């Protein structure tokens, strides 16, 4: 009786989704036709028929929906609907929401619903209005279709029909729509039960009381609420894009994309449709206001008060929403996330609003395109990326990262254009795998590989022609080997240029510190890995003695790997000596080249293993060990390149006045060395100055234009258009290393100034270390125990 004119039947159901299913059956029985047209971005429920009508693939794919016979047209586009009705003769019904709810509180254009009614009449197709969200007073009318004086053939209700207390829904339809076939064949065990219908009758009585005074109240107060929201939007236009809806069915459209929040985790969360849930959480837990995001409209939070809410409640809500908009306008991620880890700001939040809009970097057609995978090596990297998170403790950062890491997918951090000194250019994107080094190492191998593969595929889908694997994305894929032939583009670990730059930094720095390379002992920690192995070959050409240190967790396997490294060093040395190469007289390479009884360089590596074993047992110029405590103190210079995320090198292990290049990320050298050993110089390896020092678009702890060597190798290969998978696995090609050195010189890549623990080294620090070494020489200090 309360429904629009011509409604003659009410068929009761247990839910809104069941009402949708019943309506589909009703229309198919009435027309003898099968197909249903609904709108894109719609939501009609999650049973199979309702899900097929829902216009969002996100909910459908896992369930093999939509099933055959369901079609979608853009909401608000009557021309598209007309074209589909004209094309398809088997349409049983058109189903629409008068206002899309989960789609983001989307109102139709003026006249759209009237035009839909005319088209349905013209093609003799029933019109279903899904008012499961909009019905029973929510929009300031008992039914939303009344705003346009439009009567459907079928009208669906649920939710508010019981005030949310008990399961009930209803399908209202005209006399003409109801058929004997439907009436005899459709049933539902608990639909229309006495309890639910008693509650429903009471709800209808409350809505009708005093000539529908409650519905009038919603219409008037909804106007005030919407105006209040529009006023807040006017004060915070950068973060509130729009206010939608009518009555007490309103939506706040937040400007949630990464351009709104540049260089901020909020931009990442917005891009992945996670910001509005977090904003809702902030409102609930700090402002004590319960709102909720819409399911499809990722940037929209719905404002849907109880119908009885009055002016005091409305003002309370507006105050809370304004405070939230103020926090968002500061672009302060900590302000929004702090409640999750028990952090509260003291005083006003610091604003991280950009001084000027971020200008996007746009690739040009002639540019080669590359991508490089990054990840937070340690928790402090979150602060490098988003300065506002510097207020959190390490424990709080760990808590937050564990909350979002399983939900956040790989994302684009920034983009840049690299130009070589020869004029060649390449466009690159940095793509983040949201896992720390520890998390990647602790994950199941298959899961870690799958997440990295997803990141490579994201890069390829965005146009990358070669992709570099950074940090532990290389480690957990066995130097990229497990991804070969599984991804659509060439990949590189960047390890080759990492070796070149690391060894150069170590040897140049050691000479700057006054060490005699030819007479020195060098240790390679992690010598069994790809970087350690290649570094051994290069260092052996310059130093007198080598200590190769492997993984103590697997001593037998490590000793065999170290023996293979030494055998390869001996074979390569013999090969190059046979080709006429001369080595420094005191170097280990010169000693190796003079050894009698060596196999032929063309012999297999296996033939060299016994020879390498004999040499290692007969001389102290090469040490193969896993005992870092015993042998590291003998080294004058040390290169560390392990895949361990732990700080392995402690102050007591180091020779007085030694020089250390740490190429591992996270660092293998403990910060205690920096604090306790002023005689020891520790430098960060693999830091490169990119030609013309471009802005890479994000802050990873370096000055503008500096990058890791592994990143730089990807850039170099892109500039050269050398689009092949290289630097893969544990056996780096020495010819490729030399090729990269030539390319680096061609394009203008070079070592950056020396840095220690991510900070530039001043002349005073060099002088301080030299003075400490001199004191040690006078007193005979050997190690710093």
């Amino acid at each position: 009786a309360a429904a629009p004119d011509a409604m003659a039947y009410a068929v009761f159901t247990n839910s809104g989704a069941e009402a949708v299913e019943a309506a589909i059956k009703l229309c198919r029985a009435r027309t003898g036709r099968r197909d249903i047209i609904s709108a894109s971005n719609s939501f009609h429920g999650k049973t199979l028929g309702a899900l097929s009508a829902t216009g969002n693939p996100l909910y459908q794919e896992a369930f093999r929906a939509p099933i055959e016979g369901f079609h979608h047209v853009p909401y608000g586009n009557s021309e598209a609907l007309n074209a589909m009705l004209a094309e398809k003769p088997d349409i049983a019904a058109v189903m629409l929401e008068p206002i899309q709810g989960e789609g983001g509180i989307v109102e139709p254009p003026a006249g759209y619903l009237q035009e839909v009614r005319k088209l349905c009449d013209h093609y003799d197709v029933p019109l279903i209005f899904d008012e499961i969200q909009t019905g029973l007073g929510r929009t300031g009318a008992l039914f939303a279709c009344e705003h346009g004086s439009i009567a459907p053939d079928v009208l669906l209700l649920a939710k508010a029909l019981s005030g949310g207390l008990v399961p009930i829904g209803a399908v209202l339809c005209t006399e003409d729509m109801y058929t004997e076939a439907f009436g005899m064949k459709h049933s539902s065990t608990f639909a229309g039960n006495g309890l639910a219908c008693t509650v429903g009758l009471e709800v209808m009585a409350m809505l009708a009381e005093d000539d529908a005074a409650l519905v009038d109240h919603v219409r008037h107060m909804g106007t005030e609420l919407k105006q209040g929201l529009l006023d807040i939007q006017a004060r915070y236009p950068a973060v509130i894009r729009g206010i939608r809806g009518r009555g007490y069915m309103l939506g706040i459209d937040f400007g949630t994309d990464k351009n709104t929040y540049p260089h901020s985790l909020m931009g990442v969360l917005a891009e992945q449709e996670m910001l509005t849930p977090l904003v809702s959480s902030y409102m609930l837990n700090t402002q004590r206001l319960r709102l909720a995001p819409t399911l499809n409209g990722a940037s929209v939070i719905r404002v849907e008060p109880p119908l009885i809410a009055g002016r005091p409640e409305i003002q309370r809500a507006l105050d809370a929403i304004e405070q939230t908009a103020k926090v968002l306008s500061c672009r302060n991620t900590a302000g929004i996330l702090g409640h999750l880890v028990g952090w509260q700001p003291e005083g006003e939040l610091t604003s991280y609003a950009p001084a000027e809009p971020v200008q996007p970097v746009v690739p040009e057609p002639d540019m080669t395109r590359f991508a490089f995978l990054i990840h937070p090596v340690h928790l402090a990297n979150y602060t490098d990326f988003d300065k506002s998170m510097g207020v959190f403790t390490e424990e709080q950062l760990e808590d937050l990262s564990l909350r979002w890491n399983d939900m956040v997918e790989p994302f684009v951090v920034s983009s840049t254009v690299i130009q070589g000194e020869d004029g060649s250019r390449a466009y690159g994107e940095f793509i983040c795998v949201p896992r720390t080094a520890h998390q990647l190492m602790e994950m199941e191998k298959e899961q870690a590989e799958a997440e990295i593969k997803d990141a490579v595929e994201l890069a390829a889908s965005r146009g990358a022609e070669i992709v570099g694997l950074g940090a532990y994305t290389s480690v957990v894929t066995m130097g990229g080997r497990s991804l070969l032939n599984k991804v659509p583009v060439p990949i590189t670990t960047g390890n080759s240029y990492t070796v070149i730059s690391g060894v150069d930094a170590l040897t140049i720095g050691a000479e700057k510190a006054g060490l005699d390379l030819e007479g020195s002992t060098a240790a390679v920690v992690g010598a069994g890995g790809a970087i350690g192995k290649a570094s051994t070959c290069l260092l052996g050409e310059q130093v007198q003695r080598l200590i190769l240190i492997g993984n103590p967790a697997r001593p037998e396997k490590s000793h065999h790997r170290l023996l293979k490294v030494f055998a390869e060093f001996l074979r390569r040395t013999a090969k190059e000596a046979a080709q006429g190469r001369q080595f420094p007289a005191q170097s280990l390479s010169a000693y190796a080249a003079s050894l009698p009884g060596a196999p032929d360089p063309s012999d297999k590596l296996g033939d060299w293993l016994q020879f390498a074993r004999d040499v290692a047992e007969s001389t102290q110029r090469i040490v193969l060990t896993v005992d870092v405590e015993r042998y590291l103190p003998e080294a004058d210079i040390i290169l560390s390149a392990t895949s361990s995320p732990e700080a392995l090198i402690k102050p007591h292990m180091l020779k007085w006045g030694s020089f250390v290049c740490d190429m591992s990320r996270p660092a293998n050298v403990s910060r205690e060395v920096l604090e306790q050993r002023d005689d020891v110089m520790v430098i960060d390896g693999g830091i490169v100055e990119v030609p013309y020092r471009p802005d890479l678009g994000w802050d990873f702890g370096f000055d503008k234009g500096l990058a890791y060597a592994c990143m730089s190798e990807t850039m170099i290969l892109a500039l050269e258009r050398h689009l092949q998978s290289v630097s893969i696995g544990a056996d780096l090609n020495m010819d490729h290393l030399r090729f990269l050195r030539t390319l680096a010189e061609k394009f203008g890549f070079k070592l950056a100034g020396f840095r220690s623990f991510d900070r530039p080294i001043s002349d005073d620090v060099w002088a301080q270390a030299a003075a400490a070494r001199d004191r040690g020489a006078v007193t005979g200090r050997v190690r710093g125990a």
Side-chain angles (χ1 to χ4, degrees):
D5 291 343
M7 293 295 153
Y9 289 88
V11 179
F12 292 103
T13 67
N14 295 288
S15 68
E18 189 180 316
V20 172
E21 298 283 352
I24 292 169
K25 293 165 66 178
L26 178 75
C27 294
R28 285 181 169 180
R30 168 63 182 80
T31 63
R33 301 191 289 264
R34 182 193 68 177
D35 291 8
I36 304 294
I37 298 175
S38 56
S40 304
N41 198 45
S42 61
F43 185 83
H44 297 288
K46 293 184 177 177
T47 53
L48 193 54
L51 189 63
S52 296
T54 291
N56 188 338
L58 180 65
Y59 302 112
Q60 298 172 330
E61 291 170 355
F63 306 106
R64 307 297 293 272
I67 57 177
E68 193 173 358
F70 287 82
H71 313 284
H72 300 91
V73 294
Y75 188 69
N77 188 331
S78 57
E79 292 181 1
L81 177 61
N82 184 32
M84 185 168 287
L85 287 168
E87 175 191 347
K88 298 185 180 298
D90 197 33
I91 303 300
V94 172
M95 181 169 8
L96 296 173
E97 301 161 272
I99 298 175
Q100 289 190 331
E102 301 299 347
I105 317 298
V106 180
E107 293 185 89
Y112 169 68
L113 295 178
Q114 290 89 339
E115 186 63 26
V116 170
R117 176 73 272 181
K118 292 177 183 177
L119 289 171
C120 288
D121 291 340
H122 176 74
Y123 288 99
D124 190 25
V125 170
L127 174 60
I128 304 170
F129 276 168
D130 179 346
E131 293 228 31
I132 292 165
Q133 288 201 36
T134 58
L136 303 177
R138 173 57 55 189
T139 66
L142 194 58
F143 304 98
C145 60
E146 293 177 351
H147 291 296
S149 302
I150 312 153
D153 301 293
V154 182
L155 189 146
L156 311 182
L157 299 171
K159 298 189 185 295
L161 187 53
S162 74
L165 293 176
V166 293
I168 189 171
V171 180
L172 309 185
C173 69
T174 63
E175 179 87 33
D176 181 60
M177 288 301 300
Y178 198 87
T179 63
E180 183 178 353
F182 178 80
M184 295 296 290
K185 300 297 183 184
H186 174 78
S187 63
S188 177
T189 301
F190 293 105
N193 70 81
L195 174 61
C197 288
T198 299
V199 174
L201 285 168
E202 186 62 26
V203 167
M204 294 305 300
M206 293 173 70
L207 289 169
E209 188 177 2
D210 294 335
D211 198 21
L214 183 57
V215 178
D216 287 341
H217 165 82
V218 171
R219 182 168 62 255
H220 293 304
M221 290 307 304
T223 301
E224 286 193 27
L225 174 58
K226 186 171 185 178
Q227 185 56 55
L229 293 173
L230 288 168
D231 292 343
I232 295 172
Q233 180 198 3
R235 289 191 285 275
Y236 298 96
V239 295
I240 298 181
R241 190 161 44 198
I243 304 297
R244 306 173 177 178
R246 58 174 61 194
Y248 275 179
M249 186 175 181
L250 300 173
I252 305 172
D253 184 4
F254 288 92
T256 51
D257 57 48
K258 68 179 182 181
N259 293 324
T260 309
Y261 306 104
H263 306 299
S264 165
L265 185 63
M266 282 203 292
V268 174
L269 296 171
E271 189 175 54
Q272 303 211 9
E273 303 184 0
M274 292 174 59
L275 184 58
T276 48
L278 286 166
V279 171
S280 298
S281 175
Y282 170 83
M283 289 192 191
L284 176 63
N285 289 285
T286 65
Q287 302 299 319
R288 318 308 296 172
L289 176 66
R290 185 180 295 278
L291 304 181
T294 54
L295 295 182
N296 296 1
S299 64
V300 177
I301 291 179
R302 66 187 101 200
V303 184
E304 298 185 0
L307 303 191
I308 59 172
R311 191 165 283 111
E313 291 79 21
I314 296 307
Q315 189 56 53
R316 171 76 180 79
L318 290 172
D319 291 343
I321 292 167
E322 175 137 25
Q323 177 60 30
T324 303
K326 181 179 179 181
V327 172
L328 287 170
S329 71
C330 291
R331 275 80 168 182
N332 190 313
T333 307
I336 291 294
L337 301 184
H339 69 276
L340 297 174
V341 292
W343 177 84
Q344 292 183 338
E346 297 179 2
E348 290 292 314
L349 280 173
T350 301
S351 176
Y352 291 91
E356 56 187 38
V358 176
Q359 298 300 320
V361 179
V362 180
E364 296 179 13
D366 65 326
M367 294 180 182
T368 311
R369 299 182 64 162
F370 69 91
F372 189 82
L373 305 192
I374 61 173
H375 68 88
V377 175
H378 40 67
L379 293 168
N381 287 146
Y382 288 117
T383 301
D384 291 336
F385 177 64
D386 187 328
K387 301 301 184 188
S388 74
M389 298 182 70
V391 298
F392 293 138
T393 65
E394 187 168 313
E395 290 75 18
Q396 289 170 329
L397 287 172
E398 176 76 15
D399 187 347
L400 288 170
S401 73
L402 291 174
R403 288 172 183 266
W404 66 57
N405 281 358
D406 283 334
M407 296 183 288
V408 177
E409 298 175 349
F411 58 89
V412 178
V413 174
S414 67
S415 56
T416 188
V417 170
I418 307 299
Q419 180 169 324
E421 290 182 350
D422 68 335
S424 55
R425 296 186 302 164
Y427 169 83
E429 294 182 333
F430 293 93
I431 294 177
C432 181
V433 176
R435 300 282 185 180
T436 65
H438 278 281
Q439 289 163 351
L440 282 172
M441 293 293 283
E442 291 170 0
M443 289 168 64
E444 292 290 335
K445 180 180 181 299
E446 293 76 13
Q447 181 186 355
E449 182 182 305
E451 293 190 14
I452 295 164
K453 181 172 176 284
D454 287 344
V456 176
E457 289 175 345
L458 171 64
S461 72
R462 296 178 59 86
E465 299 168 88
I466 187 168
V467 177
L469 307 179
Y472 280 69
T473 67
S474 169
V475 173
V476 300
T477 58
M478 298 163 48
R481 278 189 298 166
S482 64
L483 292 181
L484 285 180
N485 305 316
K486 296 180 183 178
V487 291
V489 289
I491 56 175
T492 175
T493 61
N495 282 344
S496 295
Y497 195 52
T498 297
V499 169
I500 293 169
S501 60
V503 172
D504 283 354
L506 178 64
T507 54
I508 294 170
E511 288 178 342
K512 178 178 173 69
L515 294 175
D516 173 22
L517 283 179
E518 274 196 63
S520 67
T521 295
V524 179
V525 183
I531 294 173
K533 180 178 179 180
S535 299
T536 295
C537 292
L538 295 182
L539 281 173
E541 298 172 359
Q542 302 184 66
V543 301
Q544 187 177 52
R545 180 171 179 252
L546 270 178
I547 301 170
L548 306 186
I549 302 174
N551 184 356
R554 293 173 290 180
E556 188 172 332
K557 184 176 181 179
S558 292
H559 274 292
H560 182 69
R561 292 183 70 174
L562 294 176
L563 186 63
K564 288 177 65 177
V565 171
F566 183 47
E568 180 59 46
F569 166 76
L570 291 173
R571 183 171 67 170
R572 176 168 292 279
T573 300
K575 179 181 177 181
E576 294 185 354
Q579 295 170 347
R581 183 173 179 191
Q582 298 293 315
F583 299 103
Q586 296 185 58
S587 71
L588 183 63
S589 291
Y591 169 77
S594 68
L595 289 170
D600 190 274
S602 63
D603 289 352
K604 294 179 181 178
L605 182 61
D607 298 328
W608 281 84
L609 287 175
Q610 184 58 50
F611 180 69
R613 184 178 291 108
D614 293 341
V615 173
E617 290 174 354
S618 65
T619 180
Q620 278 298 303
R621 295 192 67 171
I622 184 73
V623 177
L624 312 179
T625 184
V626 296
D627 193 344
V628 67
E629 289 270 357
R630 177 181 174 185
Y631 286 101
L632 195 64
E634 297 181 10
D636 302 297
I637 63 174
I638 299 165
L639 186 144
S640 183
T642 81
S643 59
S644 171
E646 306 298 331
L648 305 175
I649 300 176
K650 306 296 176 59
H652 70 278
M653 299 177 181
L654 298 171
K655 183 177 182 179
W656 191 265
S658 56
F659 193 91
V660 185
C661 177
D662 190 350
M663 300 176 67
S664 302
R665 294 294 180 273
N668 285 161
V669 179
S670 167
R671 290 194 69 88
E672 295 172 349
V673 174
L674 178 67
E675 297 160 0
Q676 300 176 21
R677 295 294 302 274
D678 61 356
D679 60 298
V680 173
M681 181 68 76
V682 180
I683 64 169
D684 302 333
I687 313 301
V688 172
E689 181 179 323
V690 181
Y692 303 110
R693 300 192 67 146
D695 184 355
L696 301 182
W698 62 294
D699 180 359
F700 49 98
F702 297 156
D703 295 334
K704 178 182 174 183
L706 302 188
Y708 287 114
C710 50
M711 297 175 186
S712 300
E713 177 169 335
T714 311
M715 298 172 188
I716 290 168
L717 294 172
L719 289 171
E720 181 66 11
R721 291 201 58 80
H722 190 80
L723 306 177
Q724 302 173 22
S725 290
V726 293
S727 301
I728 303 298
D731 296 316
L732 299 180
N733 185 295
M734 297 301 290
D735 292 333
H736 180 67
L737 266 71
R738 296 186 175 102
F739 173 62
L740 273 176
R741 187 187 293 278
T742 301
L743 291 182
E745 293 173 357
K746 170 184 174 181
F747 296 123
F749 289 80
K750 58 187 177 182
L751 277 180
F754 291 100
R755 302 172 67 85
S756 181
F757 293 94
D758 294 327
R759 295 292 180 264
I761 302 175
S762 68
D763 290 340
D764 289 343
V765 172
W766 286 100
Q768 175 182 302
R773 283 194 299 275
D774 291 342
R775 290 197 305 274
V778 171
T779 59
R781 295 291 297 270
V782 175
R783 58 191 292 184

